[in-house]
Amino acid sequence: NAGVTQTPKFQVLKTGQSMTLQCAQDMNHEYMSWYRQDPGMGLRLIHYSVGAGITDQGEVPNGYNVSRSTTEDFPLRLLSAAPSQTSVYFCATGQGYEQYFGPGTRLTVT
Amino acid sequence: QQQVKQSPQSLIVQKGGISIINCAYENTAFDYFPWYQQFPGKGPALLIAIRPDVSEKKEGRFTISFNKSAKQFSLHIMDSQPGDSATYFCAASSNAGNMLTFGGGTRLMVKP
């Protein structure tokens, strides 16, 4: 029972490149979300999903796309990476009031 | 505009001392206030949480105090230990625990 897994752990991109951050959960939760963590800013919600086929925007959605075709997976796509997207990205899943976070992906955009 | 403000940004406490971290919120629709603990290289993990219908919740050495009228809540770590050294985040939610709004975080160091 892995909980929440994220790949890759580290990634370096050049400005303008695209990539997908993967997130998978085996906890059978309907709710999944993506946060970015920046120093002094805490974690900020990017996108979230309340179930397969349903997604919505969080606080900082610009530059990111998501889709949810299965309960288990919730990938985050960067369409055209910018240096401002340098951050640590966390995927989370939950049921009710407890959210479980993955180990994170550290992304650097040069 | 940060809806949840957390202080201090960093805190150094001697082993056995009390660590206190404070948070203030603006949105009165928030109805769930968790604290998360994060160790380096790891994701945040739920530590303790409170609803606004109680003024205090204690779990072991960790206590949340909640002041609804002042829109403030705080985390107290009693008998702080070096193993408590981590970053602590307060958060708030109004959507069944989903869509957490986080404070900026407090890096706690407990000196042996």
Side-chain angles (χ1 to χ4, degrees):
Chain A
N1 200 357
V4 182
T5 58
Q6 291 184 238
T7 56
K9 290 190 185 304
F10 303 94
Q11 183 71 48
V12 178
L13 290 178
K14 294 187 187 303
T15 297
Q17 288 184 318
S18 63
M19 78 159 295
T20 299
L21 280 63
Q22 302 291 344
C23 174
Q25 54 105 354
D26 61 2
M27 307 175 82
N28 202 31
H29 291 160
E30 293 295 328
Y31 183 82
M32 295 186 75
S33 55
W34 277 101
Y35 290 84
R36 60 176 289 172
Q37 182 176 11
D38 302 292
M41 305 285 289
L43 288 86
R44 292 179 292 167
L45 183 65
I46 304 171
H47 285 286
Y48 67 96
S49 169
V50 297
I54 305 170
T55 63
D56 207 345
Q57 296 181 351
E59 181 185 354
V60 288
N62 293 340
Y64 307 95
N65 271 4
V66 292
S67 60
R68 183 94 179 272
S69 56
T70 67
T71 299
E72 294 79 19
D73 300 297
F74 190 42
L76 178 72
R77 297 183 186 85
L78 281 69
L79 307 175
S80 178
S84 61
Q85 294 179 304
T86 293
S87 187
V88 182
Y89 291 85
F90 290 98
C91 177
T93 187
Q95 185 164 293
Y97 280 95
E98 183 160 0
Q99 297 294 306
Y100 300 88
F101 285 82
T105 294
R106 183 175 293 274
L107 175 68
T108 301
V109 183
T110 61
Chain B
Q1 183 183 3
Q2 201 168 17
Q3 292 197 53
V4 178
K5 295 183 179 179
Q6 183 172 345
S7 62
Q9 286 188 319
S10 62
L11 181 61
I12 300 175
V13 173
Q14 290 294 128
K15 179 183 175 181
I18 303 173
S19 304
I20 302 174
I21 304 170
N22 301 300
C23 284
Y25 64 97
E26 298 172 4
N27 187 348
T28 56
F30 288 144
D31 64 357
Y32 174 68
F33 301 88
W35 285 86
Y36 281 81
Q37 180 187 55
Q38 183 182 33
F39 293 105
K42 305 291 186 183
L46 180 65
L47 183 64
I48 186 173
I50 198 168
R51 303 280 184 97
D53 53 347
V54 297
S55 60
E56 185 175 282
K57 183 174 181 180
K58 183 176 181 179
E59 290 184 0
R61 296 185 293 108
F62 301 91
T63 300
I64 301 178
S65 298
F66 188 84
N67 185 330
K68 188 174 181 178
S69 61
K71 294 189 287 185
Q72 295 175 348
F73 58 111
S74 59
L75 176 70
H76 291 63
I77 306 174
M78 312 300 287
D79 187 26
S80 298
Q81 299 296 312
D84 297 330
S85 297
T87 299
Y88 292 81
F89 293 96
C90 62
S93 171
S94 60
N95 187 15
N98 302 327
M99 296 183 66
L100 292 166
T101 299
F102 282 86
T106 296
R107 180 173 288 185
L108 171 66
M109 178 185 297
V110 181
K111 288 192 168 183

